[in-house]
Amino acid sequence: MTLTHVPAPTNTRLDRLLAPTSIAVVGASASSGKLGSVMLDAITRGSDGSVSAYGVNPKSSGDDGLFGSLRDAADTHGTPIDLAVLCIPASATPAALRDAADSGVGAALICSGGFAEAGPDGIALQNELAQIVADTGIRLLGPNTSGFFRPGSTTVSFVPTVEHITTGTVAVVAASGGMNHALSFLLSEHGVGVGLGVGLGNSVDVTNVDVLDYLRDDPSITAIALHVESVDDGRALLAAVRNITTHKPVVAIVVGRSDVSAFSESHTGALATSWKTTRALLAEAGAVVVDTEQQLVDALAVLSHTRLPASAAPGVGLVTAQAGPALMILDELLAQDVQVPTLTEATQAGLSELLPPLTFQANPVDTGRPGASFGAVLSTTAADAAIDALAVYALAEPDALDLADAVRASGVHTRVPVVLGIGGPGEAVGKTGAAAAALGVPVLPSPTALATGVGALVHDARSRFLRTTDTAPTAPTVAPAIALPADEATAKDLLDALGIGTPPRRVCADRPAAHQALAELPLPVAVKILDSAVLHKTEIGGVHLGIRSADELDVALDALDAINAPAYLVESMAPSGVDLFLGARRDPVFGPIVVAGLGGTAAEAIGDVAIRSADVTRTAAAAMLDDLQCAPLLDGWRGGPVLRRDEFAHLAVTVARYLADHPAISDIEINPLRLTPTGLTALDAVIVPTPARGNAVEGEKP
Amino acid sequence: MTLTHVPAPTNTRLDRLLAPTSIAVVGASASSGKLGSVMLDAITRGSDGSVSAYGVNPKSSGDDGLFGSLRDAADTHGTPIDLAVLCIPASATPAALRDAADSGVGAALICSGGFAEAGPDGIALQNELAQIVADTGIRLLGPNTSGFFRPGSTTVSFVPTVEHITTGTVAVVAASGGMNHALSFLLSEHGVGVGLGVGLGNSVDVTNVDVLDYLRDDPSITAIALHVESVDDGRALLAAVRNITTHKPVVAIVVGRSDVSAFSESHTGALATSWKTTRALLAEAGAVVVDTEQQLVDALAVLSHTRLPASAAPGVGLVTAQAGPALMILDELLAQDVQVPTLTEATQAGLSELLPPLTFQANPVDTGRPGASFGAVLSTTAADAAIDALAVYALAEPDALDLADAVRASGVHTRVPVVLGIGGPGEAVGKTGAAAAALGVPVLPSPTALATGVGALVHDARSRFLRTTDTAPTAPTVAPAIALPADEATAKDLLDALGIGTPPRRVCADRPAAHQALAELPLPVAVKILDSAVLHKTEIGGVHLGIRSADELDVALDALDAINAPAYLVESMAPSGVDLFLGARRDPVFGPIVVAGLGGTAAEAIGDVAIRSADVTRTAAAAMLDDLQCAPLLDGWRGGPVLRRDEFAHLAVTVARYLADHPAISDIEINPLRLTPTGLTALDAVIVPTPARGNAVEGEKP
């Protein structure tokens, strides 16, 4: 068998999949009701005339309007078919896929299940498909998906109601066909139109990475809804998200908070990735990560219309016609860490001339009752130097206030992004929504939805700032590779070389050396077993604290001798403070990552840890601990020390980069990393070598 | 001035407010556009004929259809007016309110602001209103609210779009008029009709407690949406919620997660209560507590239709037509701690005859593609003994599946509560929704919404179980009152008397006694300062741990002497384990509460604490720590000890009841409370006396 065509550049090939001008349904049948017929009908009915559709069935007599082969269809069409939709049993798909490639078809879609999600036979079948893709260069969507659609122009889905999806500029990139449809319908029903909806299914070939790369340059798309069930190549996904979010916002929802692995495996054949890591790294890469489909809709209602410039902390002005909703919105914005800055005295003076006395004018600006001055209140608030965007809420009271018209007349939407929230009956809200949409101003239906949408606007701007702005990068520390396995002293010498503070210490081969150390080091000291084979020193009685006298030292050394300590580490104890941990690890999906949180077991049990990639910028690393619920502990809790974020960022970036540069190391754990009044000190450090087998961590791809 | 009428029983009086047959608008005017005219128009237009409406204006000429006084209106009406709506400036309201009471009016509504939220003058005005209510017994809604409505029968709100709210059986009880409208519109637009919407405003007289008590016996209402901004009388609110949720479900949303106090005060004059405490105690009392308005709508979409019997852990069967949405729903249900039990082998065998091979049939039950067997799949799943309710999701595919008809034909909804989720275009979803509603089956629009609605069904049933079921109550321990202030030894003696474990210990007045204790107690021991004036022993060097020898003891005693210890406490150290804290405190709003979490500062900084009232049942106390994020630490984390929930419940209930019974004590704190392999041991205990001033804690009401 010879290859019949040379693979074209990637984007061209995805064009033949996602923007085909000719589609053939293999397995179409003259009898309606069968999947192939339903699909052919849907394609024909859902296309705007730019797509030629053909039915192919080897058993065709020719009288039924079907073609006997893809080549016959291509002959009639004049050029090879762009997309073949294979509506045939799983077992027949490999032969049909190879025939399609041989016939010059650019891409194929396989809807049927029975592949990797269905046990060993299915896995073998799926591997066959992968081999054909590798052999021929044909692009393949699926198997195990209901397809894709571009509402208004191209439908390749057997779900007939797709034709009711409103055309718009959001692309849905979903792990499954079902969620592609569920999200597209939700967006559409909430007035957010869809430009493209793709369900990836088993992703033998085309993955979310391919689609994201393709969408970057698709001019019909302004924003992306990304639904993630599992991640195959984490680094490629993060690169794709970083790449596209430079141009277009991505809102992501990740499945897997709970342990759903048994069912998940039956669904796609893939184990769920770590939910927490996936969410943290997607957010670092630039996606706005949400918890629910409704939040996804609310975020895209805003981000498909407008974006803020990259900014560390955009300020939101909140203007309302009713105080109760204002309180809900403010509560939610603050919970999302959105700045609602107090307006300047000059702005407040301006507002006081527009509003009745006793209304709150500092931000939120509550107008008490909506009136004729509403537009001027918006303009005055937006003109404040601290305000980068406006959130506006009012109940629909057509006689008292035309919200869209107040925006239009004030022109405020031409100066800052404006997001409206309206409560009221569907008709009144719809009317305002349509008028606002004409101005490019999004409208949301509840106080919390408004806060969610505005929060998305802010987080999208903030994540671009964090990942592209770096605070004064210091010269890279040239640190030596170290001998492995490393004991605590070696690990701490490395930290010293990396510019990370450690306590004064002595490695002592014998008792006289230990007593000498006691005499020379600031007291009290800790005395520990020094043995690279021991990872958990405390558990075996290998750590003795608070030693100030020779007697106490001898008691400790007796105890260490009893557990056969090969050497002693005598070390000055740090002042008390807040104990953190900082680790650099190799994630099996995403590669080198950096993880930090409160020391001790609690943070881990609670899951209160902050995670970033080893590529994290210093600016983003400085902000990462603000993710933590325990963040108040780092800012002078009960008179305690305050964490200098830039000092922490230096540590985090340094250990992460060192790990990334040294494949022989799988883990660097500093625990505890003590926050003291004079800064951060590494009280213990463990360096774990990568298991021998080819330097690859178990589960990690080469 | 004499009282003109004897106060009627409460319910009758709220009937005259919330189900009036005659309403007079004081301050109505012949010129349209003014607030009084708008209100009179709204009342006239929004009433179904059961209400007579009158305009009152002292300046009326009589030619304008208005009456000169409430008495004139009553004379025409034939009996005293039920409800007077005062649309007049704040300063004129006291006189008008007194006049209304003198005229036999049953209730008044004051919409205007300018009261407690507006500084000292407003507070004085509000106090005048309160005095008139106390003097006359007239019921007062507001001031500072837009009113209330019973869609389809009575509108007393100046928001004109209220007439578009769908009639239904949900009552909205909102802190503010704006949120009453916002929530009522949202419910209505999502197909959940409203029977009554009330905005409370400044709550001078009528509070959410009064309205909840009234609604218990209102046959037109099946479920309540409760919006809380601040709590005045916490114990009364909890009693009202306990009372009504025995009959009807309550879904509550609480404002104040973030620090919104400055704006909140300007809004209603009241400081926000503790968000965490309010939510925890409302949930204990029986409310389903939600985070967003959308969750409130989703929960009420279900709970207004159906309820489960009280149950510790209702089992949900999840049946879906698409696996992607199934995964979303399962993830969310498990995150909400909802049981999705594996079906029995018999059930799975039954399902295997109805479904294609390789579909997941253990629960979730994913049908792969919806087909003719869908109804039978529902029946078979629901028949499993572990299943108490069904959650069902499908995309709208009218040609493949009529979801409502499958339910109807199977009759499954007559055996267990069934909740449907559908994705699709509005028309198809609406059609199914209407058909399902006719069966009493709620329909939700997204996977997460379905999980939220089903979660509400389960949590409503669970909270009724927890608060009405008590595990074998032990005989109440009769514990002595203790002398205050109490030192650690006294506090621990009390714990011993209450049946709470403490370590073996000796109170030692001098060194010989301490050495004697060292000789007699299991080693090692802790040696501590014993001084009731010292609350934070560790901070001043008053705690010495791990002492095994006479030498070590002398070093410790030297240190204690240096800080003038009046006596020593020598105590055996407990084995290592997990350190918790358990406290009984007096909350300024809710009275005695019990609080527990992980020991140390982290839990408090993170806010990972579980809170219940001192009335908590043993069953609910046993479950309370499962609220905690750190709950995994209590169940054998890394080979550690497992908490016996009944042992913890005994401790929690015992200290809470003791505090409630002893007004002289404001706080009992056991910290750390160590979980060891043999059970719970109180390692330290502090008992704080109530400040002298009349035994009242600052901020607490007498």
PDB file of all heavy atoms in Angstrom, chain B residues 46-60:
ATOM      1  N   GLY B  46     -52.766  45.128  39.862  1.00  0.00           N
ATOM      2  CA  GLY B  46     -52.228  43.816  40.200  1.00  0.00           C
ATOM      3  C   GLY B  46     -53.146  42.971  41.049  1.00  0.00           C
ATOM      4  O   GLY B  46     -52.745  41.888  41.503  1.00  0.00           O
ATOM      5  N   SER B  47     -54.365  43.428  41.293  1.00  0.00           N
ATOM      6  CA  SER B  47     -55.242  42.673  42.174  1.00  0.00           C
ATOM      7  C   SER B  47     -56.331  41.976  41.366  1.00  0.00           C
ATOM      8  O   SER B  47     -56.767  42.468  40.332  1.00  0.00           O
ATOM      9  CB  SER B  47     -55.863  43.611  43.209  1.00  0.00           C
ATOM     10  OG  SER B  47     -54.836  44.154  44.006  1.00  0.00           O
ATOM     11  N   ASP B  48     -56.746  40.843  41.878  1.00  0.00           N
ATOM     12  CA  ASP B  48     -57.679  40.013  41.116  1.00  0.00           C
ATOM     13  C   ASP B  48     -59.133  40.291  41.467  1.00  0.00           C
ATOM     14  O   ASP B  48     -60.013  39.530  41.108  1.00  0.00           O
ATOM     15  CB  ASP B  48     -57.356  38.532  41.350  1.00  0.00           C
ATOM     16  CG  ASP B  48     -57.520  38.150  42.813  1.00  0.00           C
ATOM     17  OD1 ASP B  48     -57.829  39.034  43.641  1.00  0.00           O
ATOM     18  OD2 ASP B  48     -57.322  36.956  43.127  1.00  0.00           O
ATOM     19  N   GLY B  49     -59.379  41.359  42.202  1.00  0.00           N
ATOM     20  CA  GLY B  49     -60.759  41.687  42.545  1.00  0.00           C
ATOM     21  C   GLY B  49     -61.081  41.370  43.988  1.00  0.00           C
ATOM     22  O   GLY B  49     -62.090  41.828  44.522  1.00  0.00           O
ATOM     23  N   SER B  50     -60.208  40.603  44.641  1.00  0.00           N
ATOM     24  CA  SER B  50     -60.444  40.287  46.048  1.00  0.00           C
ATOM     25  C   SER B  50     -60.002  41.430  46.950  1.00  0.00           C
ATOM     26  O   SER B  50     -60.216  41.395  48.152  1.00  0.00           O
ATOM     27  CB  SER B  50     -59.702  38.999  46.432  1.00  0.00           C
ATOM     28  OG  SER B  50     -58.310  39.203  46.296  1.00  0.00           O
ATOM     29  N   VAL B  51     -59.348  42.424  46.364  1.00  0.00           N
ATOM     30  CA  VAL B  51     -58.813  43.530  47.158  1.00  0.00           C
ATOM     31  C   VAL B  51     -59.491  44.842  46.743  1.00  0.00           C
ATOM     32  O   VAL B  51     -59.590  45.136  45.549  1.00  0.00           O
ATOM     33  CB  VAL B  51     -57.290  43.660  46.932  1.00  0.00           C
ATOM     34  CG1 VAL B  51     -56.742  44.852  47.717  1.00  0.00           C
ATOM     35  CG2 VAL B  51     -56.586  42.377  47.337  1.00  0.00           C
ATOM     36  N   SER B  52     -59.944  45.607  47.743  1.00  0.00           N
ATOM     37  CA  SER B  52     -60.441  46.957  47.466  1.00  0.00           C
ATOM     38  C   SER B  52     -59.322  47.943  47.762  1.00  0.00           C
ATOM     39  O   SER B  52     -58.686  47.860  48.813  1.00  0.00           O
ATOM     40  CB  SER B  52     -61.647  47.278  48.361  1.00  0.00           C
ATOM     41  OG  SER B  52     -62.639  46.283  48.203  1.00  0.00           O
ATOM     42  N   ALA B  53     -59.083  48.854  46.824  1.00  0.00           N
ATOM     43  CA  ALA B  53     -57.980  49.797  46.987  1.00  0.00           C
ATOM     44  C   ALA B  53     -58.510  51.222  47.080  1.00  0.00           C
ATOM     45  O   ALA B  53     -59.428  51.603  46.335  1.00  0.00           O
ATOM     46  CB  ALA B  53     -57.009  49.665  45.819  1.00  0.00           C
ATOM     47  N   TYR B  54     -57.926  51.996  47.991  1.00  0.00           N
ATOM     48  CA  TYR B  54     -58.357  53.374  48.210  1.00  0.00           C
ATOM     49  C   TYR B  54     -57.136  54.282  48.237  1.00  0.00           C
ATOM     50  O   TYR B  54     -56.083  53.902  48.744  1.00  0.00           O
ATOM     51  CB  TYR B  54     -59.107  53.499  49.545  1.00  0.00           C
ATOM     52  CG  TYR B  54     -60.301  52.574  49.626  1.00  0.00           C
ATOM     53  CD1 TYR B  54     -60.168  51.294  50.159  1.00  0.00           C
ATOM     54  CD2 TYR B  54     -61.550  52.983  49.145  1.00  0.00           C
ATOM     55  CE1 TYR B  54     -61.250  50.429  50.210  1.00  0.00           C
ATOM     56  CE2 TYR B  54     -62.652  52.121  49.194  1.00  0.00           C
ATOM     57  CZ  TYR B  54     -62.494  50.847  49.726  1.00  0.00           C
ATOM     58  OH  TYR B  54     -63.556  50.002  49.764  1.00  0.00           O
ATOM     59  N   GLY B  55     -57.308  55.494  47.692  1.00  0.00           N
ATOM     60  CA  GLY B  55     -56.270  56.504  47.806  1.00  0.00           C
ATOM     61  C   GLY B  55     -56.645  57.498  48.895  1.00  0.00           C
ATOM     62  O   GLY B  55     -57.801  57.911  48.989  1.00  0.00           O
ATOM     63  N   VAL B  56     -55.675  57.859  49.720  1.00  0.00           N
ATOM     64  CA  VAL B  56     -55.933  58.797  50.810  1.00  0.00           C
ATOM     65  C   VAL B  56     -54.969  59.971  50.686  1.00  0.00           C
ATOM     66  O   VAL B  56     -53.757  59.767  50.525  1.00  0.00           O
ATOM     67  CB  VAL B  56     -55.753  58.109  52.184  1.00  0.00           C
ATOM     68  CG1 VAL B  56     -55.834  59.136  53.323  1.00  0.00           C
ATOM     69  CG2 VAL B  56     -56.785  57.007  52.378  1.00  0.00           C
ATOM     70  N   ASN B  57     -55.524  61.174  50.716  1.00  0.00           N
ATOM     71  CA  ASN B  57     -54.680  62.365  50.738  1.00  0.00           C
ATOM     72  C   ASN B  57     -55.423  63.457  51.493  1.00  0.00           C
ATOM     73  O   ASN B  57     -56.519  63.847  51.090  1.00  0.00           O
ATOM     74  CB  ASN B  57     -54.366  62.810  49.303  1.00  0.00           C
ATOM     75  CG  ASN B  57     -53.252  63.839  49.294  1.00  0.00           C
ATOM     76  OD1 ASN B  57     -53.199  64.709  50.165  1.00  0.00           O
ATOM     77  ND2 ASN B  57     -52.349  63.729  48.312  1.00  0.00           N
ATOM     78  N   PRO B  58     -54.839  63.918  52.596  1.00  0.00           N
ATOM     79  CA  PRO B  58     -55.523  64.917  53.427  1.00  0.00           C
ATOM     80  C   PRO B  58     -55.897  66.169  52.627  1.00  0.00           C
ATOM     81  O   PRO B  58     -56.843  66.875  52.974  1.00  0.00           O
ATOM     82  CB  PRO B  58     -54.497  65.269  54.506  1.00  0.00           C
ATOM     83  CG  PRO B  58     -53.476  64.194  54.472  1.00  0.00           C
ATOM     84  CD  PRO B  58     -53.510  63.584  53.115  1.00  0.00           C
ATOM     85  N   LYS B  59     -55.130  66.410  51.560  1.00  0.00           N
ATOM     86  CA  LYS B  59     -55.394  67.626  50.777  1.00  0.00           C
ATOM     87  C   LYS B  59     -56.441  67.380  49.695  1.00  0.00           C
ATOM     88  O   LYS B  59     -56.687  68.250  48.865  1.00  0.00           O
ATOM     89  CB  LYS B  59     -54.099  68.114  50.122  1.00  0.00           C
ATOM     90  CG  LYS B  59     -53.043  68.573  51.135  1.00  0.00           C
ATOM     91  CD  LYS B  59     -51.770  68.989  50.399  1.00  0.00           C
ATOM     92  CE  LYS B  59     -50.600  69.143  51.367  1.00  0.00           C
ATOM     93  NZ  LYS B  59     -49.316  68.919  50.700  1.00  0.00           N
ATOM     94  N   SER B  60     -57.026  66.174  49.700  1.00  0.00           N
ATOM     95  CA  SER B  60     -57.937  65.842  48.611  1.00  0.00           C
ATOM     96  C   SER B  60     -59.166  66.756  48.637  1.00  0.00           C
ATOM     97  O   SER B  60     -59.716  67.071  49.697  1.00  0.00           O
ATOM     98  CB  SER B  60     -58.392  64.387  48.737  1.00  0.00           C
ATOM     99  OG  SER B  60     -59.473  64.164  47.866  1.00  0.00           O
TER     100      SER B  60
END
